[in-house]
Amino acid sequence: MKKGDIYEGIIEKVDFPNKGIVLAEGQKVIVKNGIPGQKVRFMINKKRSGRTEGRLLEVLEKSPLETRDPVCSVFPDCGGCMYQTMSYKSQLNMKEQQVCQILDTALKGQPYQWDGIYASPVEFRYRNKMEFSFGDAYKDGPLTLGLHKKGSTYDVLNASDCGLVHKDINIIVSCVQNYFLQRNISYYKKLQHTGYLRHLLLRRSMTTGEILIHIITTSQEEHDLSPLKEELLSLPLEGKIAGIMHIINDSLSDVVQSDETRILYGQDFFYETLLGLRFKVSTFSFFQPNSLAAEILYSIVRKYIGDTKDKTVFDLYSGTGTISQLAAPVAKEVIGVEIVEEAVQAARENAALNGLSNCHFIAGDVLKVLDQLSQKPDVIILDPPRDGIHPKALPRILSYGADHIVYVSCKATSLARDLPAFFSAGYRMERACCVDQFCQTVHVETVCLLSRAK
């Protein structure tokens, strides 16, 4: 086998997150973006010591697991989804097997209680936030607004019938795209760093139906967006637009951030309710993308924490303080640490909104903040970014010797990488489970309870 060779084969299984395993000429080849059981044609594109990768060229035969039609027009090309044609039960079974394999390998035979995988209460139309990109589907093509094509950094496919978001979101996407398409307004080209339109960020409250619309552009051009505002406000939506923002972003990197935010209409926040608590959600606040599944996730975290009466809880990587506030009513004190200042401000407002006086939030890097705290936690909750806990922060976290640690991970391989450090510090994994917040995609949340051996 050498680079450029083309082969055919059956995807025997898919390892987390989307690594299809194909046997060709007696060798194992990793082919991403496939479904178990598909017959595929692929080209060898990477050869490393002990590892061969191939790029998917074509699906020759569907998998027996593909038992239904996709719900949107750009599947399977769109990078937003992977498993629409699989039954939801098959998706759950596959994700559970993937995570169990990762944990079993990391634990090397150590026993633990596996609590299974929890399904999302809704399989489609569950996302309360989505970032869409402006671009084109092919070089010099007409303006598109949607999600990137699988495996492509530049091609953007229209997403006006996306199955992951509420129909209100799709109506807004179509309106915005048509508005700028009719006026022949340029989009930002990442290589040349020129153009105007960058992203459309939409948030919709699951409980109230309130919608925030953010049009993100560069400052390279000036356009009057008042007509667009009027068009948006006249749309026949099930929910209600709470705010329309124009965000200026001149960053060279392809991220959604604000150099300046102009409120064109309304306000830059709405409220969402989880497990009886009310949370203010603003433009850049971190909030779990699937509100209904988040209630399941947080209920499990609360159960894993157990009795926290008269105990101090550290919630590290606390975001807008959702977990902190769910733990606060049954704890002596909860301290949340989060590096995003806007999220911390929102967390403080939310705690006041919910009447929680024993909940405190600190803005800063976890590694630096821990060195400044005099309190010692009895329980630690960890919900780090996708890449896991910073290697320098991990020893400091373990040095507290907390009785219990609950680790919430959106990337099981990052959790598995961190686990040996916990074991070396005298912890054992008591129980674990998965919560599927990301139906149709390769992602899944993993929750585990780590207890310090007495």
Side-chain angles (χ1 to χ4, degrees), residues 36-152:
Q38 285 179 335
K39 184 177 181 180
V40 295
R41 177 179 291 118
F42 58 94
M43 181 176 69
I44 304 299
N45 65 340
K46 289 184 182 177
K47 293 256 323 170
R48 301 172 184 169
S49 56
R51 179 182 171 114
T52 304
E53 296 184 21
R55 181 167 61 86
L56 180 65
L57 299 176
E58 182 183 2
V59 175
L60 301 173
E61 294 178 14
K62 292 175 66 173
S63 164
L65 295 175
E66 295 183 87
T67 57
R68 59 185 186 181
D69 295 327
V71 300
C72 69
S73 59
V74 289
F75 182 86
D77 296 327
C78 175
C81 283
M82 186 67 67
Y83 303 126
Q84 273 194 32
T85 51
M86 292 174 66
S87 73
Y88 191 38
K89 183 178 180 181
S90 295
Q91 293 180 41
L92 292 173
N93 289 340
M94 183 178 69
K95 290 182 179 183
E96 182 176 19
Q97 290 171 14
Q98 289 173 346
V99 173
C100 283
Q101 178 183 327
I102 290 167
L103 294 181
D104 290 345
T105 301
L107 268 72
K108 299 179 181 177
Q110 296 179 43
Y112 67 98
Q113 178 180 316
W114 176 249
D115 294 327
I117 186 167
Y118 293 80
S120 169
V122 290
E123 187 188 346
F124 291 99
R125 317 256 175 238
Y126 61 84
R127 286 196 66 100
N128 56 40
K129 175 189 175 185
M130 191 72 100
E131 294 175 5
F132 299 98
S133 298
F134 288 97
D136 53 26
Y138 53 89
K139 187 173 173 57
D140 299 325
L143 179 72
T144 55
L145 176 58
L147 302 174
H148 285 274
K149 188 177 181 179
K150 276 191 183 83
S152 173

Side-chain angles (χ1 to χ4, degrees), residues 280-301:
K280 181 181 178 181
V281 181
S282 55
T283 301
F284 295 108
S285 296
F286 172 77
F287 201 80
Q288 295 290 355
N290 182 338
S291 300
L292 298 179
E295 289 196 311
I296 296 173
L297 175 68
Y298 293 143
S299 296
I300 291 166
V301 171

Side-chain angles (χ1 to χ4, degrees), residues 17 28-29 47 70 166 194 214 221 263 268 282 296 351:
K28 185 174 82 170
V29 182
K47 293 256 323 170
H166 191 278
T194 59
H214 311 83
E221 301 174 17
I263 298 180
D268 63 350
S282 55
I296 296 173

Side-chain angles (χ1 to χ4, degrees), residues 36 74 88 130 169 215 222 249 255 283 288 298 329 351 371 392-393 399 405 454:
V74 289
Y88 191 38
M130 191 72 100
I169 301 298
I215 300 126
E222 278 291 337
N249 175 19
V255 294
T283 301
Q288 295 290 355
Y298 293 143
D371 286 332
K392 291 183 179 179
S399 70
I405 297 176
K454 300 296 184 183

Side-chain angles (χ1 to χ4, degrees), residues 143 174-185 231:
L143 179 72
S174 292
C175 172
V176 172
Q177 182 193 359
N178 290 334
Y179 178 88
F180 289 118
L181 189 61
Q182 290 167 7
R183 287 158 178 79
N184 197 30
I185 294 177
E231 281 192 32

Side-chain angles (χ1 to χ4, degrees), residues 150-162:
K150 276 191 183 83
S152 173
T153 309
Y154 302 104
D155 299 342
V156 174
L157 302 177
N158 285 320
S160 57
D161 62 347
C162 177

Side-chain angles (χ1 to χ4, degrees), residues 6 16 33 52 81 149 151 154 163 177 192 245 261 279 288 303 312 315 328 331-332 349 364 367 389-391 405:
I6 294 176
F16 182 87
N33 300 328
T52 304
C81 283
K149 188 177 181 179
Y154 302 104
Q177 182 193 359
Q192 294 92 337
M245 273 63 68
T261 298
F279 297 95
Q288 295 290 355
K303 180 172 72 173
T312 298
D315 180 12
K332 175 185 175 184
E349 292 180 25
L367 176 61
I389 303 167
H390 193 288
I405 297 176

